[in-house]
Amino acid sequence: MIQTRRVYATVFSVVALLTASSIALISQNTGRRARALIYNPVDENNMVTLTGNLRPEANAENDLGEVSSALPMDHMMLQLKRSPAQEQAAAQFVEDLYNPKSANFHKWVTAQEWGKNFGAAESDIKAVTSWLESHGFVVNSVYPNGLLIDFSGSAGQVRRAFRTPIHNLSVEGVPHIANVSDPQIPAALAPVVEGVVSLHDFRPHTMVRPKYTFSSGGQTNQAVTPADLATIYDFNPLFAKGITGSGQTIAVIEDTDIYTPATGPTDWDSFRSTFGLTQYSTGSLTTEHPKPPTGVNNCTPPGVTSADNEAILDAEWASAAAPGAAIVVGACGDTATTFGGFIAMQNIINAAAPPAIMSISYGNCEAENGSASNAAIGKLYQQAAGEGISVFVSAGDEGAASCDASSTATSTATHGIGVNAFASTAYNVAVGGTDFADTFDGTTSKYWSSTNSATFGSALSYIPEIPWNGSCASSLIAKFSGYPTGYGPNGFCASTTAAAQGWVQVSAGSGGPSGCASGTPDPATYGIVNGTCAGTPKPSWQAGLAGIPNDGVRDLPDVSMFASNGVWGHFYVVCFSDPNNSGTPCTGAPSTWPGYGGTSVASPVLAGIQAMANQNVGAAQGNPNPVYYALAASTPSVFHSISRGDITVNCAGTLNCYGPIGFAGPGRGGRPSETSAAGALSVSSTTFTPAYAASDPTWNFATGIGSVDAYNLVTNWPKQK
């Protein structure tokens, strides 16, 4: 066991025309067949507002006044939309790609083919780009998918064209820029324009969590190494058969480059050599700054930023799960308005030969992300599913309170229930988080050896799992600490022990129902699911398992993997040596190396397992969820059921909060003040219905289907006939 120190296309007049035979010919179609949606001349005196394109932080309290008109606004992204009929046609086409009875089963298309059949009409694109150019914007490129336009200009041009000024803001002491009103466009363009993906510099947050340490009287930690991962989740029989992800490429999406030490081996090389992964000679790591297929390059090398711990752990642990795979760090720098990871994803998915697997460990809650950005992510992942790309996304690290995620420490949930917009589409795997139950059960010696192997493995077998939850509101933590509940005046969250030892924190694997993938929340509130918000409709494949609610919306997560950051003494070991971001030299035994957790790590691990599945069947598999849910129904041994514990976090106020002590009145942006505390996030505020408990062993909001037995998953994966 390792003891670590504390480190912190087509539009059809009716959808019925999209027959099986016409779909089968999609890859042969060489002309854009979309019907034009713009009929009227552009009239600047007849404007419409693009609602849902305003950050909640852009309010009077944070406002510092308008930016200079000359401020560059480079590589903004204008998201286009389809007609309702074309939208249904695209959805049906992707549905058929995953239907074994369809003539189109697994007949993936290219980005060019996708655009020709499901992008905007060429005349509509020309009308939109001409309007942009008439206001002095430079159109850098139109993506092959026919749904995204990259353009650049200045803040003054944005104000004149979109009728919204860009202001300086100060949010919790951090400077930002953002539009202070929803943008407007000429009504003639409205049928084909969804919105500007962003007119601000608020970035999605990483899901990585530094190792958490509490005062426990000298507790010994059993850190998770690659050898432990292989034992616990049954990788070793696959490795013995040569199934290591060889021949597969996994792209991990970042907005930072990886830190490289000035002398000595790289962190990647130290990780691979220390943990015995160099025996898999096909494993490799490269960093790419993916360019767009056409037009002006929008992917600048980001350099090493404060998120470089995210990049290296994504790369290392994807490789730990698939040691023979090629790992590609796809990294683009942020622009004044656009998240570099979004640019990287667009450029990769629209490339001529994209990798078959992609993992992203960033996110932003639906209600704060904005309708244009939500739509852009959904359409991008849909295209990926059409191309046969498997997209894995961290569900989040805030329990069901993803709108309480923050770049700074979040101690109390105040926004109610919300989920990660990057994970709540119908076309990606949302990866939740688990922890091991041995410490709680007092069975540590049963599952961990007192000595390490040559590659620092000490796990003896699969270890029963519980949801990852580091909040005082956790029912298991409260019980272990001697309290009847986590909430209320007599609960653990109200104790001085919880405060002193750092348990009052919004920290847990995320899950919950999609609530604001479309529509607009009430602008008077701050990141709360209300107003005209609507969730992503429930995908057809999310069915057939006990526990899946009949709520009509996409529910998260799908599958979970170990993601703890040390709550019960277990976390991932990472070689990360950047001294500017709490890294340490990777020398000697890894007991001195940094420890991390979070669904940030679970996502690339599951991506690595998919690489082995792809290798075994010899083909890309696209969205794995239809197979996951079918296997869960037919072959239960593929998944580890998890039915104890919860992802409930401590909360304040009256919104989805049961048992808070007092209420200090409204705070910033209309949300409750964090001075009221000691409640537990609940589906009901009048009775305690935890949000959420791992109550059903088949599917639940805390862990989805559960974690995987990699050998059983890969060997039972259906082979295409």
Side-chain angles (χ1 to χ4, degrees):
M1 75 200 102
I2 294 175
Q3 299 186 26
T4 68
R5 66 180 184 83
R6 181 178 183 177
V7 287
Y8 287 22
T10 300
V11 172
F12 294 84
S13 57
V14 290
V15 177
L17 292 179
L18 193 64
T19 62
S21 59
S22 66
I23 297 174
L25 295 174
I26 189 169
S27 63
Q28 303 173 26
N29 182 7
T30 57
R32 185 181 298 281
R33 292 153 45 193
R35 177 171 58 86
L37 302 178
I38 298 174
Y39 301 107
N40 299 316
V42 173
D43 181 1
E44 297 279 353
N45 294 315
N46 183 14
M47 306 289 283
V48 296
T49 299
L50 300 172
T51 59
N53 291 266
L54 181 66
R55 286 290 302 191
E57 298 92 342
N59 55 46
E61 179 182 347
N62 298 327
D63 201 339
L64 298 179
E66 191 168 355
V67 303
S68 167
S69 293
L71 179 73
M73 305 281 280
D74 291 333
H75 299 295
M76 295 173 281
M77 300 286 185
L78 191 68
Q79 181 66 45
L80 306 184
K81 63 183 178 181
R82 312 178 179 109
S83 70
Q86 192 187 16
E87 196 67 56
Q88 290 181 5
Q92 184 61 55
F93 174 68
V94 174
E95 186 89 6
D96 288 343
L97 288 175
Y98 294 87
N99 180 1
K101 297 180 180 179
S102 169
N104 266 331
F105 181 61
H106 281 198
K107 291 185 177 179
W108 316 121
V109 297
T110 66
Q112 290 284 352
E113 291 164 347
W114 182 264
K116 289 175 181 177
N117 290 276
F118 301 118
E122 291 176 354
S123 61
D124 288 346
I125 293 174
K126 177 61 176 175
V128 173
T129 56
S130 294
W131 175 72
L132 290 170
E133 289 169 342
S134 73
H135 282 277
F137 293 114
V138 175
V139 174
N140 299 309
S141 63
V142 177
Y143 276 87
N145 60 22
L147 290 172
L148 195 72
I149 299 172
D150 179 323
F151 68 106
S152 297
S154 67
Q157 289 168 328
V158 168
R159 182 182 65 249
R160 291 187 293 272
F162 292 97
R163 311 291 175 90
T164 179
I166 307 299
H167 280 214
N168 289 304
L169 306 175
S170 178
V171 181
E172 297 179 348
V174 179
H176 286 281
I177 63 166
N179 53 308
V180 293
S181 61
D182 274 319
Q184 299 179 42
I185 59 169
L189 303 180
V192 77
V193 175
E194 188 85 52
V196 186
V197 173
S198 76
L199 289 171
H200 57 77
D201 65 354
F202 290 91
R203 310 296 181 212
H205 57 279
T206 66
M207 302 298 181
V208 62
R209 292 276 179 155
K211 175 182 171 290
Y212 172 74
T213 303
F214 60 94
S215 302
S216 57
Q219 171 179 304
T220 298
N221 296 317
Q222 285 79 28
V224 175
T225 66
D228 295 323
L229 185 80
T231 296
I232 295 166
Y233 290 118
D234 207 12
F235 292 4
N236 289 322
L238 295 172
F239 294 167
K241 295 173 66 174
I243 302 173
T244 63
S246 179
Q248 308 301 310
T249 300
I250 303 171
V252 293
I253 304 302
E254 314 293 345
D255 65 346
T256 178
D257 288 327
I258 290 176
Y259 171 78
T260 300
T263 59
T266 66
D267 290 353
W268 161 271
D269 287 335
S270 294
F271 183 87
R272 294 261 302 178
S273 62
T274 298
F275 294 122
L277 303 179
T278 51
Q279 63 180 297
Y280 307 104
S281 58
T282 56
S284 63
L285 174 67
T286 58
T287 295
E288 295 183 4
H289 305 120
K291 296 180 180 180
T294 60
V296 177
N297 183 20
N298 57 7
C299 183
T300 59
V304 176
T305 74
S306 61
D308 62 331
N309 55 356
E310 177 68 68
I312 191 60
L313 71 84
D314 287 347
E316 289 177 352
W317 280 94
S319 181
I327 311 301
V328 175
V329 175
C332 295
D334 299 328
T335 75
T337 62
T338 305
F339 168 51
F342 180 78
I343 296 173
M345 286 193 293
Q346 287 285 354
N347 293 354
I348 288 171
I349 291 174
N350 280 283
I357 303 169
M358 186 171 76
S359 174
I360 180 166
S361 298
Y362 292 74
N364 200 10
C365 84
E366 292 176 328
E368 292 185 357
N369 203 49
S371 60
S373 183
N374 290 344
I377 294 166
K379 284 181 169 59
L380 180 63
Y381 292 176
Q382 183 189 54
Q383 178 185 343
E387 295 180 29
I389 301 171
S390 304
V391 180
F392 296 86
V393 187
S394 301
D397 294 351
E398 309 83 30
S402 285
C403 288
D404 283 287
S406 167
S407 58
T408 57
T410 301
S411 62
T412 305
T414 59
H415 295 68
I417 294 171
V419 300
N420 177 13
F422 280 62
S424 65
T425 84
Y427 304 104
N428 66 275
V429 178
V431 188
T434 71
D435 204 337
F436 300 129
D438 57 296
T439 302
F440 178 80
D441 291 336
T443 57
T444 299
S445 61
K446 178 180 178 180
Y447 296 106
W448 298 90
S449 172
S450 60
T451 59
N452 293 317
S453 69
T455 55
F456 299 95
S458 58
L460 300 174
S461 68
Y462 171 73
I463 306 168
E465 291 169 279
I466 55 179
W468 167 47
N469 190 342
S471 168
C472 58
S474 160
S475 60
L476 298 183
I477 289 176
K479 182 178 180 180
F480 192 81
S481 301
Y483 289 81
T485 66
Y487 58 84
N490 298 315
F492 183 49
C493 289
S495 70
T496 56
T497 300
Q501 295 186 357
W503 292 109
V504 184
Q505 58 173 349
V506 179
S507 179
S510 289
S514 173
C516 200
S518 61
T520 305
D522 184 345
T525 58
Y526 188 101
I528 294 172
V529 177
N530 55 20
T532 62
C533 284
T536 300
K538 189 178 290 295
S540 61
W541 44 258
Q542 194 166 49
L545 301 179
I548 297 176
N550 186 25
D551 55 5
V553 297
R554 170 81 160 101
D555 294 311
L556 277 62
D558 298 305
V559 180
S560 295
M561 298 297 287
F562 174 74
S564 180
N565 61 335
V567 175
W568 297 99
H570 310 302
F571 48 87
Y572 287 101
V573 177
V574 176
C575 178
F576 174 61
S577 63
D578 182 1
N580 299 312
N581 197 12
S582 301
T584 58
C586 303
T587 56
S591 57
T592 61
W593 295 10
Y596 288 96
T599 58
S600 176
V601 199
S603 180
V605 164
L606 195 57
I609 296 173
Q610 188 62 42
M612 292 191 287
N614 286 15
Q615 178 191 356
N616 193 48
V617 299
Q621 297 298 297
N623 183 6
N625 274 324
V627 174
Y628 286 164
Y629 283 80
L631 284 176
S634 66
T635 316
S637 63
V638 168
F639 297 95
H640 302 295
S641 296
I642 300 166
S643 56
R644 289 188 295 167
D646 53 58
I647 56 170
T648 303
V649 296
N650 48 282
C651 61
T654 59
L655 188 63
N656 293 118
C657 189
Y658 181 77
I661 303 172
F663 176 50
R668 181 168 56 88
R671 61 177 175 165
S673 169
E674 293 192 15
T675 57
S676 58
L681 198 70
S682 172
V683 175
S684 169
S685 295
T686 57
T687 60
F688 184 51
T689 307
Y692 289 93
S695 54
D696 195 291
T698 309
W699 189 96
N700 55 68
F701 279 119
T703 60
I705 302 171
S707 66
V708 303
D709 180 297
Y711 179 79
N712 289 341
L713 176 69
V714 171
T715 57
N716 282 282
W717 197 276
K719 294 188 177 181
Q720 186 173 349
K721 298 179 181 179

